Amino acid sequence: MTASASLTSPLTSVELVFHRDWIERWLRFGHPVADQVLDRRRRLLFFAPGAVFGYVRWEGNAHGTVLSRIDILRACAAGEGRVTVPGITPGGDSLLRLSGWPRVKRTLELIDMLEADGFDPAAVAPDYWRHAHNRLACGQAPRRYGRDQHAAWCRRRGVGA
């Protein structure tokens, strides 16, 4: 995909960066439809409207960690409201946004638990991610995501399609 094509498409671009001990931006989960290597340290992933993905940002300096943040976002269609997030163009619908290593770590553990239970985190109900955000933000454990909840989300999504 060329840079000019990515600017005219309705896709959401996510910039991944890796500079050891300085800055890391990586995708924890999600299903990009395209990617573009910018150089040996940077790459762009592109998501279709409606796609859900988990984006982790970490920055450090000589004194230690400066930033730890995780965002779980839904890529938006043209005309939808969105929040801005560094590295994501044009932004997305924020389902979960937490900062500070203890909260980021708990979120990563939650994602691991969902995968261990057989769920693709990108297919989990957006309402569950909002619930997890609220619970983790105040130091509480989120309720476990269940098969019944997932089946209800799949049926609801099918009706809206």
Side-chain angles (χ1 to χ4, degrees), residues 124-135:
V124 166
D127 292 341
Y128 181 76
W129 289 121
R130 290 183 182 104
H131 156 76
H133 166 86
N134 291 331
R135 299 288 293 208

Side-chain angles (χ1 to χ4, degrees), residues 54-112:
Y55 185 58
V56 180
R57 293 183 291 144
W58 176 90
E59 294 179 23
N61 63 22
H63 303 289
T65 297
V66 176
L67 171 79
S68 292
R69 173 161 288 157
I70 186 164
D71 290 278
I72 297 177
L73 300 153
R74 184 185 59 81
C76 294
E80 285 186 280
R82 62 195 85 211
V83 298
T84 58
V85 175
I88 299 179
T89 304
D93 177 19
S94 180
L95 306 177
L96 179 145
R97 184 175 202 169
L98 296 168
S99 60
W101 180 244
R103 288 179 179 157
V104 171
K105 183 179 178 202
R106 285 194 298 271
T107 305
L108 293 172
E109 290 167 351
L110 175 64
I111 294 167
D112 290 342

Side-chain angles (χ1 to χ4, degrees), residues 119 123-125 128 145-159:
F119 296 107
V124 166
Y128 181 76
Y145 189 71
R147 301 254 174 248
D148 291 343
Q149 185 177 5
H150 188 68
W153 162 242
C154 291
R155 284 191 304 273
R156 194 168 86 205
R157 189 176 51 194
V159 170

Side-chain angles (χ1 to χ4, degrees), residues 6-91:
S6 66
L7 293 175
T8 59
S9 71
L11 301 176
T12 297
S13 70
V14 177
E15 183 181 27
L16 306 183
V17 179
F18 181 79
H19 290 275
R20 184 178 303 279
D21 300 327
W22 180 50
I23 184 170
E24 295 179 24
R25 293 181 178 178
W26 48 281
L27 190 72
R28 175 54 184 86
F29 66 84
H31 305 288
V33 295
D35 66 58
Q36 176 183 12
V37 175
L38 301 175
D39 56 44
R40 65 178 224 169
R41 298 187 187 274
R42 297 178 310 131
R43 153 180 180 197
L44 291 176
L45 299 178
F46 298 92
F47 290 89
V52 175
F53 56 92
Y55 185 58
V56 180
R57 293 183 291 144
W58 176 90
E59 294 179 23
N61 63 22
H63 303 289
T65 297
V66 176
L67 171 79
S68 292
R69 173 161 288 157
I70 186 164
D71 290 278
I72 297 177
L73 300 153
R74 184 185 59 81
C76 294
E80 285 186 280
R82 62 195 85 211
V83 298
T84 58
V85 175
I88 299 179
T89 304

